[in-house]
Structures are given as C-alpha cells and as structure tokens.
Amino acid sequence: MRRGVRRGAERIDAATPAHRDRAVDALRALAVFGVVLGHWLVTALVADGRTLRTASPLQHLPWLAPVSWLFQTLAVFFLVGGHVATRGYASARARGIPYHHWLRGRLARLFGPVAAVLGLWTVVTIVLLLSGTDLATVRTLVKLALSPLWFLLVFAALTAATPLLTRLHPLWPLAVVLHVDVLRFGLGGPARLGWINLAAGWLVPYTLGAAWTRGELEHRRAGRFLLVSGTAATAALVAWGGYPASMVGVPGAGVSNLNPPTLAAVTFGLAQCGLALLLRERLRGAMRRPVVWAAVALVNLSAMTVFLWHQTALMATTATGLLAGRLPGLHTVPDGLGWVAARLAWLPVLAVALGLCLAAFRSGERGDGRRRPSPAVHAHRPSPSDRGPAEGVRHV
C-alpha cells in the first residue's frame, strides 16, 4: 500500500507544471483545514429533550479564546483568492478571453457544489417539519448547514469586482472598516452600519492578494510588517478597545468579531496574511515532497465541497449519535475540559462523515459532471505575458 501511495503521489508530482507556485495551494489547504477544524472544535449541538440548540465552549471557557486565533483562517482564504483571481484575470486578458467568459467560469466553479447542499437541506427541512420536529431545532440545523454560503456570496461579489480591485490599495477598505467601527462603537451609531464591513473587511486581504500579484509583497519585510503591525493592533484593540478576544462568534455575546467583521478581526487578518507570506518559502520547500504535495492537491481538488459540507457532517454525526442517547462531547453542554477531550475524540468520526459527504457530492465541483484532472496538476500553458504560476482549471 505504501508503495502504491508513493507511486500515485509521484505521478501527481510529475504532472504538476514546473512554473506552478505550490505555496498558493498549500496556503489554501491550510485555510480550509483551519476553518473546518475550528468549527468542529467550537460548535456544539446540545440536546435538551427533543430540541437541539447551538452552544460553544468559548461561552463557558473564555480562556480558550486562543483556539480561535489558530483556526479562524478566512483572511488567508481571501488573500489567496485575491491573488489567484487577479492573476487569472490578467492571464485571461492576455489570451483575449472576455471578462464575462472569465467570470462565468469562475462563478460556475465557485457555486457548482452549492446545488447539492441546497437540494439536500430542502428535503431534510421538509421531512423534519412534516415529522413534527421542534421549529427551533429545524431553524438551528438549517442555519448551521447553510452558514458557509455567506462566504460564497461575498467571495463571488469580490470576484466579479476583480477588474476594479486590481490596483486598489488595502488601506482604503481598512479605512472604511475603521470609520464604521468608530461610528458604531465610539459614537453610538446604529449596529446595522457594521454590515458595511462584510464587504470592506474582506476586501482588505483580497486586495493584499492583488498586491501579491503585482509583486509588491515579495520581500520578507512586507510579511514581517503585516505580522507585527497586525498583531500589535489586535492586541491593543482587545486590551484597551473593548473588542472580544475570540475571533469567532460566541453565542450570547454582545459583539462578534466576525459577524460582521470588526476592526479587530481585520487587523488580526493582516497578521495572519503576514505570517502566510513569510511561510511561502518553507511551504514551497515542503511541497517538493511528492506525498505532501499530493495530499495538498487532493484537498484543493475538493476545497469547496469540504467547506460546504463540513457542518452537515457534524450534524449527521450528532443526529446518528442521538440513537445511543446523549453522548459527551457531542450532545452535552460544552462547559468543561471533559467536553473538550471528548470532542477531540470525536474528530476522527467527523472526518469519516465528511469523507462520506465528499464521496457522494464531490462531482458537483467538476462543473459539468465529467471527470477532470485536479486543479493542482493541470493549468493552462502560459503565454509570453503570463510567466508566473498559471491559474488552475478549477481554482477556488
């Protein structure tokens, strides 16, 4: 088996274009891993009689907030997304591909897996309602299952605006976030103003990705500056600005750093982007190992499916486990280290459930249903004006 795995990995390695920047794929895989593991660690479905409600260990164990610093990796998603989109758009223009064709292809790849999620949860919702399931439980499950879709909508909007964003300096959307938070928290403005940051907040790492494409972030001092300044600003905002320490939403908390993004979440994202940029050379070295590269390529092949279905895998495991009663770490209140230890023990089961979802629904990520090569091992041939790593056939 070991020899078979190595031979397969070597074939993937040999099929990868030499000009491809494998660090980009590695960063995307790390971002996917962070989001999935973070959600699985901080999301609990507590069974109270016939009702399921969401809870979080961060409610009861606030000193676990640093866990959210490790696994809230959406800024890296947007950094890589902005880099790939601006590079791909430049390549498309160089090859004479019209904007609407380029955009249609990217959005098709982005939203291809969504139809299966919506279809399944439409059926599940109808069955639950007809069976007399408590309405609060249905609302909890549907909200959790469809929560990843907000990311796709924001990402799609930024993708569509890519031609306008290729030269936008990240300081402009950062200034918008700053002013919105001053109005909300400093001057008592309406809370709904915060939703401006849903676009402006994620524009910051997206436009950093565009700056990466322009070659403005190649020197290590850019990564160091972002890491140090982002870390210092976030620490100051949490310590003296009244922002929550958790970088994810906590049920019942008055303010969430993520929904919508706050200035603290954006400065934290800057620190993450700086660290990601500093890790590029190490990741390029690690990706020279065929087995490691093959694993990263496979994650990228199903990145959107993993992202869209990981919450469903959690809920399917929770629902199945109810047949055996209230199980620790799965249905119990996350109010102690015993729950944390039990949830860690459940992670392999959740991974198996996600694997079953991938086996059933990954075909939606192929776009037209035909078998295609991995996006990490198949790229267009670069034109003379496109000397960098080409955008993969199905980059997210």
Side-chain angles (χ1 to χ4, degrees):
M1 177 181 286
R2 187 176 300 175
R3 284 196 299 269
V5 169
R6 179 164 292 278
R7 283 196 298 269
E10 289 171 350
R11 285 197 296 270
I12 293 175
D13 182 65
T16 303
H19 58 268
R20 186 177 190 84
D21 187 352
R22 301 185 184 192
V24 174
D25 301 280
L27 287 172
R28 185 188 292 108
L30 288 173
V32 171
F33 178 79
V35 169
V36 171
L37 192 56
H39 280 162
W40 284 354
L41 289 175
V42 303
T43 303
L45 282 168
V46 179
D48 291 330
R50 298 185 59 192
T51 303
L52 286 175
R53 59 179 177 86
T54 55
S56 171
L58 298 176
Q59 290 174 277
H60 307 279
L61 306 168
W63 53 270
L64 285 177
V67 172
S68 69
W69 306 346
L70 294 174
F71 299 116
Q72 204 288 79
T73 52
L74 284 173
V76 178
F77 245 127
F78 282 93
L79 171 74
V80 173
H83 174 58
V84 170
T86 51
R87 192 172 193 88
Y89 177 65
S91 175
R93 288 188 64 188
R95 291 178 290 144
I97 297 176
Y99 163 75
H100 64 278
H101 286 169
W102 171 82
L103 180 62
R104 183 173 61 194
R106 287 196 61 80
L107 293 185
R109 295 190 292 270
L110 193 63
F111 286 102
V114 171
V117 176
L118 292 178
L120 176 68
W121 275 98
T122 298
V123 173
V124 169
T125 302
I126 293 172
V127 170
L128 290 175
L129 291 174
L130 292 177
S131 64
T133 302
D134 181 76
L135 188 60
T137 297
V138 176
R139 187 184 302 112
T140 295
L141 296 178
V142 172
K143 183 178 179 180
L144 198 59
L146 302 185
S147 59
L149 295 182
W150 74 262
F151 160 82
L152 293 187
L153 295 175
V154 176
F155 198 92
L158 297 185
T159 299
T162 294
L164 303 176
L165 303 177
T166 54
R167 293 289 172 181
L168 182 67
H169 197 284
L171 282 178
W172 289 107
L174 180 60
V176 172
V177 174
L178 171 63
H179 283 81
V180 167
D181 274 20
V182 168
L183 289 173
R184 288 174 64 199
F185 303 128
L187 302 178
R192 62 179 178 273
L193 279 176
W195 293 106
I196 296 174
N197 287 351
L198 191 59
W202 299 119
L203 256 176
V204 175
Y206 194 89
T207 51
L208 275 175
W212 179 1
T213 300
R214 296 194 300 269
E216 298 173 6
L217 304 178
E218 289 305 313
H219 294 292
R220 290 184 62 82
R221 63 174 175 268
R224 285 194 292 267
F225 174 77
L226 288 171
L227 176 59
V228 173
S229 61
T231 300
T234 306
L237 289 169
V238 170
W240 299 299
Y243 287 85
S246 172
M247 289 300 146
V248 298
V250 179
V255 176
S256 167
N257 272 323
L258 195 58
N259 190 31
T262 64
L263 181 61
V266 174
T267 57
F268 175 76
L270 289 175
Q272 277 191 323
C273 291
L275 180 60
L277 293 171
L278 290 174
L279 288 175
R280 284 178 296 181
E281 285 305 317
R282 289 181 178 272
L283 290 173
R284 286 166 187 149
M287 293 304 107
R288 296 191 187 102
R289 301 174 182 174
V291 174
V292 177
W293 169 240
V296 167
L298 291 174
V299 170
N300 277 271
L301 177 65
S302 303
M304 287 312 305
T305 305
V306 170
F307 183 80
L308 288 171
W309 287 96
H310 72 278
Q311 296 283 50
T312 299
L314 170 62
M315 288 182 282
T317 304
T318 302
T320 304
L322 279 173
L323 299 176
R326 295 176 78 250
L327 301 175
L330 206 58
H331 311 111
T332 52
V333 178
D335 57 358
L337 289 179
W339 184 93
V340 175
R343 174 52 63 94
L344 290 173
W346 280 106
L347 291 181
V349 180
L350 298 178
V352 170
L354 180 57
L356 294 175
C357 291
L358 287 176
F361 300 108
R362 188 173 63 85
S363 61
E365 204 157 350
R366 297 173 187 168
D368 60 3
R370 293 176 293 177
R371 185 174 181 82
R372 294 174 184 254
S374 165
V377 298
H378 186 76
H380 72 262
R381 294 181 180 179
S383 65
S385 61
D386 181 26
R387 295 297 185 188
E391 182 192 22
V393 170
R394 286 185 291 114
H395 265 322
V396 174

